[in-house]
Amino acid sequence: MSTYRDLAHRGSARATVLRTVGTRERRSHLTAPRVPTVGIDIGGTKVMAGVVDADGNILETLRAETPDKSKSPKVVEDTITELVLDLSDRHDVHAVGIGAAGWVDADRNRILFAPHLSWRNEPLRDRISSRLSVPVLVDNDANTAAWAEWRFGAGRGEDHLVMITLGTGIGGAILEDGQVKRGKFGVAGEFGHMQVVPGGHRCPCGNRGCWEQYSSGNALVREARELAAADSPVAYGLIERVKGNVPDITGPLITELAREGDAMCIELLQDIGQWLGVGIANLAAALDPSCFVIGGGVSAADDLLIGPARDAFKRHLTGRGYRPEARIARAQLGPEAGMVGAADLARLVARRFRRAKRRRVERYERYERYHQGKGFGLGPQSPASAASENQGPK
């Protein structure tokens, strides 16, 4: 009959085992092989590939134009394969990680949907791995960027991190205790499609009022072009810079003018930043992270954007004044974050390649020993043969 003390001891032992398992999972990146891997970042305009070492240092990069989205997925797969093979000519590559701008399934094999490429339920991992001799890992590009910032950038040391990538739209990722939270179906972190204005601007996803329609590169450019097309007096500086050609207005140009002191461009970035702060406050209410990392091309505006976002976050945070506030930081790794993160995540599966390679070498050595001993008399000698040799000629 078990006593209370026995049950308490068993419970304590079980808790110790669970804690050990949890620690082992969280520290899996620390035990991954320190070998070079290739990271691939697939965007709407380019494919970037790089060899990355175990400390996050980029050893070499290659870029290729992203094939037009009207082309078959095989064209993109050919581009990826060619880049990896080119890099493997000069580096000992042990695994390949791919960060794709799209929804990736929970098994990290299929691209369910990619807005900028013609991928619809494409088994990218299986197709690429069948053409290469190393393991392949596929993940969402925001997940790979968040992993890189957690390992090597602005999120180092954080246990609960949320990354927001501001580009053409808004992407995102969640990390808790060293694990990327992908959700049941693999598509967690699509923060850009939270509805913040019912009945608002139409979004390419089909809904109205999505967050990315108010705080993204597209939103910034849309507002600037509307003012310029209306020949607004506040937009004269921008109109003069593009010589009246409204389609030439871009996000980097708006940021450049804002840094030069253009009042309208500064105001546009403040508007985008305020909407960013509102969304971050909503995410804080739902996820309660310790840190928000802001990345993507729009984050290049730095304090012109992130300053207003911090102010709006403090104004809209639920329970403000009575709860700890998450840190909001700009990403440190720039446009290479997705590539670096993909390569580092691939290192977790590189041990499969190393084990398989070691088994092949062991099989080959056994094969050689067997045939040397059987066919060429170089193997262990039997006692009878040894005795006959020791007797010498009669």
Side-chain angles (χ1 to χ4, degrees), residues 16-33:
T16 301
V17 171
L18 291 176
R19 279 197 300 272
T20 303
V21 172
T23 301
R24 186 163 60 248
E25 290 176 350
R26 286 195 298 272
R27 294 182 179 177
S28 58
H29 66 281
L30 298 177
T31 59

Side-chain angles (χ1 to χ4, degrees), residues 13-344:
R14 184 180 182 190
T16 301
V17 171
L18 291 176
R19 279 197 300 272
T20 303
V21 172
T23 301
R24 186 163 60 248
E25 290 176 350
R26 286 195 298 272
R27 294 182 179 177
S28 58
H29 66 281
L30 298 177
T31 59
R34 294 184 61 81
V35 293
T37 51
V38 168
I40 307 285
D41 185 23
I42 305 172
T45 59
K46 71 180 187 313
V47 176
M48 181 167 58
V51 181
V52 182
D53 70 14
D55 297 314
N57 300 310
I58 301 172
L59 307 180
E60 184 183 354
T61 59
L62 297 174
R63 296 170 187 262
E65 182 180 351
T66 301
D68 188 86
K69 63 182 179 181
S70 64
K71 297 178 181 177
S72 70
K74 186 177 182 300
V75 177
V76 185
E77 294 163 11
D78 290 343
T79 303
I80 295 170
T81 303
E82 289 169 7
L83 290 173
V84 173
L85 292 177
D86 191 352
L87 290 170
S88 65
D89 287 340
R90 296 176 296 281
H91 303 273
D92 185 17
V93 175
H94 288 253
V96 175
I98 300 173
W103 291 359
V104 181
D105 70 357
D107 294 331
R108 283 178 281 171
N109 177 28
R110 293 178 175 272
I111 307 294
L112 301 176
F113 172 78
H116 304 296
L117 295 166
S118 56
W119 280 337
R120 302 295 182 267
N121 200 31
E122 291 292 331
L124 180 63
R125 184 190 65 197
D126 288 349
R127 289 184 174 172
I128 296 297
S129 61
S130 68
R131 302 173 66 173
L132 301 172
S133 59
V134 294
V136 175
L137 176 143
V138 177
D139 210 336
N140 173 265
D141 59 347
N143 289 341
T144 62
W147 180 267
E149 291 292 341
W150 175 70
R151 288 272 284 125
F152 310 112
R156 281 176 293 185
E158 299 289 349
D159 289 333
H160 294 78
L161 177 148
V162 169
M163 183 161 186
I164 299 165
T165 57
L166 300 178
T168 303
I170 294 180
I174 307 163
L175 269 82
E176 290 184 5
D177 296 328
Q179 297 289 316
V180 178
K181 300 300 180 183
R182 299 179 176 85
K184 174 66 176 178
F185 304 108
V187 296
E190 293 294 335
F191 306 137
H193 298 289
M194 299 186 303
Q195 189 182 60
V196 296
V197 180
H201 291 296
R202 176 73 72 181
C203 181
C205 76
N207 293 328
R208 287 185 178 273
C210 292
W211 187 24
E212 69 177 39
Q213 292 304 305
Y214 300 88
S215 184
S216 67
N218 271 356
L220 179 66
V221 172
R222 182 191 65 228
E223 296 295 316
R225 288 179 177 177
E226 286 179 359
L227 286 168
D231 205 24
S232 171
V234 300
Y236 279 174
L238 189 56
I239 294 170
E240 183 179 351
R241 181 62 68 92
V242 298
K243 297 181 172 55
N245 191 9
V246 174
D248 287 347
I249 296 175
T250 62
L253 177 60
I254 297 168
T255 300
E256 179 184 341
L257 288 173
R259 286 179 176 148
E260 294 174 2
D262 186 282
M264 187 205 74
C265 291
I266 292 174
E267 184 177 338
L268 288 175
L269 283 168
Q270 287 175 339
D271 290 345
I272 297 297
Q274 288 171 4
W275 276 111
L276 176 60
V278 170
I280 291 175
N282 290 338
L283 290 172
L287 301 173
D288 192 30
S290 59
C291 176
F292 287 95
V293 176
I294 313 300
V298 183
S299 70
D302 208 359
D303 280 344
L304 290 169
L305 173 82
I306 296 179
R310 289 192 180 108
D311 294 339
F313 170 70
K314 292 179 179 179
R315 289 197 307 271
H316 292 90
L317 181 64
T318 180
R320 51 195 172 275
Y322 297 96
R323 59 176 289 176
E325 293 183 4
R327 180 170 66 95
I328 300 175
R330 183 190 170 193
Q332 294 179 356
L333 301 182
E336 287 83 17
M339 181 188 72
V340 171
D344 198 61

